[in-house]
Amino acid sequence: MKALEVQHISKSFGEAFVLNDLNFSVKEGEFVSILGPSGSGKSTLFHLIGGLITPDGGNFLINGENVTNQKGKISYMPQSPSLFPWRTILKNVTLAAEIVGENKETEAIHMLERAGLKGYEHVYPHQLSGGMKQRVAFVRSLLSPQSIICLDEPFSALDEFTRLDMQTWLMDLWQEQQKAILFVTHNIDEAIFLSDRVIVLSSKPATVKKEFVIPFSRPRLPNLLLEEKFLSLKKQIYSELSGSL
């Protein structure tokens, strides 16, 4: 079943035409990454899916339900962790479940431990490092009741080795949860390493230029990034992406 369907979405801001007849879908439990030139409307797309802004045309369906212009239908993680400073780490990650009347404290404690945050459940965000805050934000997204998670360049500020560590950690937790993820990134290696499919957008007004099915089995190990098949696929995607610039 399709967790998310993006149907003929178009969007402009004044005379700036950003998205043009955008069409793609994300299946249940699938990890899909979006690559595109800077300014191609990737973050705008997330704001549209989340109901923060209104498309000029087209619809969004989640599990077959038309959710166009509706808020609260996705779990959205922006580039910064955006934690509430007055809530403890445990209270931050269980907030979405709390809003809908669910008690996920036991599951949250387990996931925080898996995230290397055992013993930090009752501290506050200002007591954590940047990387730790990012892990908390991921756990919060995974614990949210929504069936699809939208991640907007969450590793962009990290150095190469920390980024790879976070990617591996995210895959481990995601494979336990198997929620649908739509992931925006500028990093081709990251997109291939994490994804089941990679969608390349054209320059704006953005439309889907090409989709790549990622052939590598899971679990994936870091040495995959150096294998010949990985590098060959990276060249193909780079060729499509550079042609959009």
Side-chain angles (χ1 to χ4, degrees), residues 2 7 22 35 93 101 109 121 141 148 150 160 206 212 241:
K2 294 177 180 177
Q7 300 180 336
L22 199 64
L35 285 167
V93 300
I109 290 171
E121 298 90 346
S141 296
I148 184 160
C150 292
E160 184 176 352
F212 292 85
L241 190 60

Side-chain angles (χ1 to χ4, degrees), residues 171-186:
M171 277 199 300
D172 288 344
L173 270 187
W174 166 71
Q175 285 179 240
E176 289 183 8
Q177 300 289 313
Q178 283 294 296
K179 286 191 174 185
I181 290 183
L182 185 60
F183 186 92
V184 161
T185 178
H186 281 97

